[in-house]
Amino acid sequence: MTTFVLVPGFWLGGWAWRPVTDTLRAHGHDVYPLSLTGLGDRAHLARTDTDLDTHVTDVLNLLTYEDLHDVVLVGHSYAGSVVTVAADRMPERVSRLVYVDTGPLPDGATQQDFAADQAATPDADGLLPPPDWAALAADVSTVDDAAVARLTALSVGHPAATATTPIRLTGAWEPLPRLGILSSFTADQVRAMAANVPLMRHMAGERWQYEELPTWHWPMISRPADLARILHESTR
């Protein structure tokens, strides 16, 4: 049995992992899908000062109060930064890092540096509004109308301060093994970018393993069974 902590990216809560969570639990794993502060079932807690450090604390508190050890921390998209910083602060609790269509940004970088499309002007409540899911999924055959309706109903504005908080790393996370599950790029493309794009320099090296899962940026929605299979097989 492996303990997984699943952390979603922008606009989503722990609910987005449900099919993956169900499959992993059916395999006997212990699974904690986490809604970060201001998102999912914790949307009512959003504040203008909810930032990356708040979300890192969400993960650290889960590990502490649930007494979790040897955890596989899984971060999707923006949450790649969340799990990296959390592992840097509590590496003794983490056995592996998994990056779902994302990767670790270097010390001092921000999410806004990497994702200009997520640097939109926040609304009056300090939130970045969700995208038009129907438009994004228009050419994705594995995302049906029901999935789009669920995304539209349950996604919420994302606290904007999380995109501008500099990542602070000591290097304590770096010895941990890492699995990259790639949906938007191939492994060869990622290795090439790691060699040439400073923001992606941590995505190469002997501690990495890559699995390609070609689909759109949200494989937990479009290919949840395959994503769960990769996570399960990574524990063998």
Side-chain angles (χ1 to χ4, degrees):
M1 184 194 74
T2 298
T3 300
F4 287 95
V5 172
L6 309 179
V7 189
F10 269 42
W11 309 298
L12 308 180
W15 58 266
W17 295 99
R18 184 171 298 167
V20 176
T21 298
D22 291 345
T23 301
L24 290 175
R25 285 175 176 165
H27 283 296
H29 300 298
D30 200 11
V31 188
Y32 294 82
L34 179 61
S35 289
L36 298 170
T37 297
L39 297 153
D41 55 296
R42 305 180 71 204
H44 61 292
L45 300 176
R47 295 163 35 124
T48 56
D49 61 351
T50 299
D51 61 7
L52 174 63
D53 290 332
T54 308
H55 287 169
V56 170
T57 301
D58 289 334
V59 176
L60 298 179
N61 282 348
L62 177 68
L63 301 185
T64 298
Y65 288 100
E66 293 292 339
D67 194 26
L68 303 182
H69 299 263
D70 297 320
V71 170
V72 176
L73 276 184
V74 182
H76 165 252
S77 193
Y78 152 76
S81 295
V82 178
V83 300
T84 303
V85 179
D88 191 65
R89 295 186 186 175
M90 202 175 278
E92 72 279 1
R93 296 290 187 100
V94 181
S95 63
R96 172 178 281 197
L97 288 163
V98 178
Y99 296 91
V100 179
D101 216 36
T102 188
L105 295 176
D107 180 67
T110 70
Q111 186 70 17
Q112 183 171 282
D113 293 336
F114 182 76
D117 61 332
Q118 294 175 350
T121 302
D123 63 21
D125 295 318
L127 303 175
L128 300 173
D132 182 340
W133 293 111
L136 287 177
D139 298 323
V140 184
S141 61
T142 52
V143 180
D144 59 20
D145 291 343
V148 170
R150 191 162 183 257
L151 283 165
T152 302
L154 297 180
S155 60
V156 297
H158 190 97
T162 64
T164 57
T165 309
I167 293 166
R168 296 303 179 200
L169 299 169
T170 68
W173 71 280
E174 293 187 23
L176 294 168
R178 307 156 209 171
L179 169 63
I181 301 175
L182 308 175
S183 296
S184 301
F185 301 98
T186 66
D188 286 342
Q189 287 173 325
V190 167
R191 292 187 185 101
M193 287 187 286
N196 294 286
V197 180
L199 282 174
M200 298 184 68
R201 63 179 179 266
H202 284 310
M203 293 198 70
E206 61 183 13
R207 294 182 178 86
W208 278 99
Q209 173 188 352
Y210 287 113
E211 293 284 348
E212 295 178 9
L213 183 60
T215 181
W216 75 337
H217 182 54
W218 296 270
M220 72 283 288
I221 304 296
S222 58
R223 296 184 64 180
D226 291 316
L227 178 55
R229 173 184 53 78
I230 291 171
L231 291 172
H232 169 62
E233 290 179 352
S234 73
T235 67
R236 296 178 178 176

